[in-house]
Amino acid sequence: MRLSTSHIASLLLLSLLLMSCRGQLSEKPPISPQQNMQFQNRFNAQEQNEFFANNMAMRPPVEGTIARGKLRQNSELYQGRDENGNFVTEIPFELTQSFLYRGKERYDIYCTPCHGKTGDGQGIIMTGQYGYVPAPSYHRQASYDMPDGQFYSAITEGIRSMPAYNTQIKVEDRWAIVAYIRALQESRNVPREELEEYNVDIAQLETEYQALKERQEALAEERAAGAGEEEISAERGQQLYTANACQTCHSLDGTRLVGPSFAGLYGSERQFADGSSAVADEDYISNSIINPGSNVVEGYNNVMPPYNYLSDGEIQSLVEFIKAQSDN
Ligand code: HEC
Ligand code: HEC
């Protein structure tokens, strides 16, 4: 067979093509015959550039300008506060069923590990073994009185030891979560005669409630029976102090954190926000742990979560531990 010039040319081209398909990785940029401005000189983020007086290639935005999509002028929508900085009392979205369901979905994803499915603060972190500050229940008067904007702000900016969720949750979804928390709160406070208007099986609810109550009573009895054998000591109290994250709010060296220091607390005179006062004896301290809202120490906020899941022996051990902080 005679090879024509065109045959040779196509064979050559074919072998070139095959050579470039050997399945090897190449560090070099691919050959692109049509360059089209693909390769240009540019600066990487954080790179130096001596052209500018401060040697930084990255330029700050011109003063007074805002990037597209970053104008967040509506403080009620974005911060949950009005122009005077007060929390808004209304959700700036229409409360439709789909909005609420969206809120439920987001709530279940982001909030339940700590705040629990029903908002009672019994999420998985509450088992005590994780050493995280317990999340307070939404079914407290303080939470019922909290304006919508404050819930929104807790998600957006975080609150005390709770981190912010603004990078994970979009603005509209944050408001949807607030709406769902409100629904959770409402759901606990429906009068019996109103219940009949809803499509719920009241008899079934009552059976479930009865079963729950019986379980709780049995648990309480079990605890009471075991209480005699439970160890009560300052050492155990010290472990509980860390395991239940008391140290995030109460120091042992007199430093003021979110709550008062335990140093010198036992036996001292306590002043309360309502003007009354009391001496910090054992009863006062155990009551402060189980029922923190009952006496709010002057100069502090009513933010301590109730530790009513601790056993008597555990509370007594914490009291012993706190007493020991007044010995030195
Ligand atoms: C990792 C656990 C955790 C997650 C997840 C979490 N929280 Fe919290 N939250 C807490 C803790 C702990 C506190 C109490 C903080 C404190 O007092 O220091 C708290 C406090 C709050 C408060 C203030 C309650 C009060 O009565 O003072 C609100 C409101 C709140 N959370 C809303 C939310 C919402 C809404 C979500 C979901 C988007 C969420 N939290 C997710 C742990 C969590
Ligand atoms: C989220 C922060 C926080 C956590 C966690 C916390 N507390 Fe508190 N606690 C406070 C604040 C704030 C006060 C003062 C306001 C009040 O009296 O409710 C307080 C008050 C008290 C008081 C009364 C103090 C006084 O000066 O009279 C005792 C006792 C106490 N806490 C014990 C505990 C124990 C024990 C733990 C852990 C099992 C704990 N607290 C966890 C915030 C917290």
Side-chain angles (χ1 to χ4, degrees):
M1 186 179 104
R2 273 198 53 207
L3 290 176
S4 71
T5 341
S6 65
H7 274 131
I8 295 174
S10 43
L11 267 178
L12 213 63
L13 203 69
L14 200 70
S15 51
L16 265 176
L17 275 174
L18 283 174
M19 266 167 65
S20 55
C21 302
R22 280 174 303 167
Q24 284 161 337
L25 292 178
S26 167
E27 300 276 298
K28 294 190 196 110
I31 299 160
S32 50
Q34 265 284 2
Q35 293 267 320
N36 282 339
M37 299 175 81
Q38 275 165 7
F39 303 102
Q40 297 178 62
N41 286 335
R42 62 165 169 77
F43 288 94
N44 290 329
Q46 315 287 355
E47 207 175 315
Q48 213 174 9
N49 180 352
E50 268 141 37
F51 179 79
F52 296 109
N54 66 1
N55 283 351
M56 284 158 66
M58 287 166 78
R59 308 314 302 153
V62 178
E63 214 174 305
T65 59
I66 291 163
R68 181 188 273 247
K70 290 277 151 67
L71 180 65
R72 304 207 141 182
Q73 230 173 5
N74 185 342
S75 73
E76 301 191 356
L77 175 63
Y78 292 110
Q79 273 97 46
R81 293 171 190 267
D82 64 18
E83 63 271 24
N84 302 320
N86 300 322
F87 289 121
V88 298
T89 52
E90 248 172 64
I91 295 168
F93 285 92
E94 202 194 331
L95 297 181
T96 58
Q97 196 181 41
S98 63
F99 188 70
L100 266 183
Y101 275 103
R102 174 75 183 168
K104 173 180 169 26
E105 190 208 15
R106 297 290 104 181
Y107 177 87
D108 285 349
I109 294 171
Y110 291 106
C111 318
T112 45
C114 304
H115 288 276
K117 273 255 179 193
T118 59
D120 58 1
Q122 300 295 312
I124 192 169
I125 66 148
M126 290 296 282
T127 51
Q129 53 182 306
Y130 297 105
Y132 201 86
V133 183
S137 164
Y138 298 135
H139 305 286
R140 293 142 56 228
Q141 199 54 45
S143 286
Y144 290 142
D145 296 342
M146 204 178 257
D148 292 338
Q150 197 170 347
F151 279 98
Y152 174 85
S153 158
I155 310 174
T156 309
E157 286 150 34
I159 181 164
R160 299 179 297 272
S161 35
M162 177 184 134
Y165 286 88
N166 58 357
T167 46
Q168 288 107 309
I169 309 174
K170 290 197 223 113
V171 171
E172 185 169 349
D173 287 342
R174 287 177 225 161
W175 284 112
I177 290 175
V178 178
Y180 181 63
I181 293 176
R182 287 298 187 218
L184 284 177
Q185 291 180 332
E186 292 282 325
S187 72
R188 281 256 177 132
N189 295 284
V190 184
R192 205 184 178 295
E193 56 285 3
E194 252 179 58
L195 261 186
E196 274 141 36
E197 292 171 25
Y198 297 96
N199 183 18
V200 288
D201 186 343
I202 298 179
Q204 160 112 23
L205 281 182
E206 272 170 352
T207 326
E208 280 174 12
Y209 179 68
Q210 205 52 42
L212 183 75
K213 245 174 65 179
E214 274 160 25
R215 269 207 308 280
Q216 280 172 343
E217 275 165 14
L219 209 70
E221 255 171 50
E222 222 171 87
R223 271 188 176 173
E229 309 142 25
E230 237 189 303
E231 179 197 332
I232 295 172
S233 69
E235 288 71 44
R236 186 166 179 223
Q238 175 153 31
Q239 285 161 10
L240 291 162
Y241 168 74
T242 5
N244 291 283
C246 314
Q247 87 274 23
T248 53
C249 299
H250 297 284
S251 79
L252 301 179
D253 63 359
T255 314
R256 183 195 164 109
L257 302 175
V258 178
S261 175
F262 287 161
L265 167 62
Y266 180 71
S268 71
E269 170 108 3
R270 317 303 303 156
Q271 298 290 333
F272 305 119
D274 64 5
S276 63
S277 65
V279 171
D281 55 12
E282 293 185 2
D283 283 347
Y284 167 78
I285 292 178
S286 57
N287 185 48
S288 297
I289 301 172
I290 307 164
N291 202 353
S294 60
N295 276 321
V296 178
V297 182
E298 182 162 37
Y300 292 91
N301 293 319
N302 181 12
V303 296
M304 176 168 154
Y307 284 84
N308 42 18
Y309 57 86
L310 295 176
S311 71
D312 289 344
E314 287 174 326
I315 298 201
Q316 285 315 311
S317 296
L318 278 165
V319 172
E320 288 306 316
F321 173 65
I322 293 172
K323 276 167 77 174
Q325 309 310 311
S326 290
D327 290 346
N328 24 0

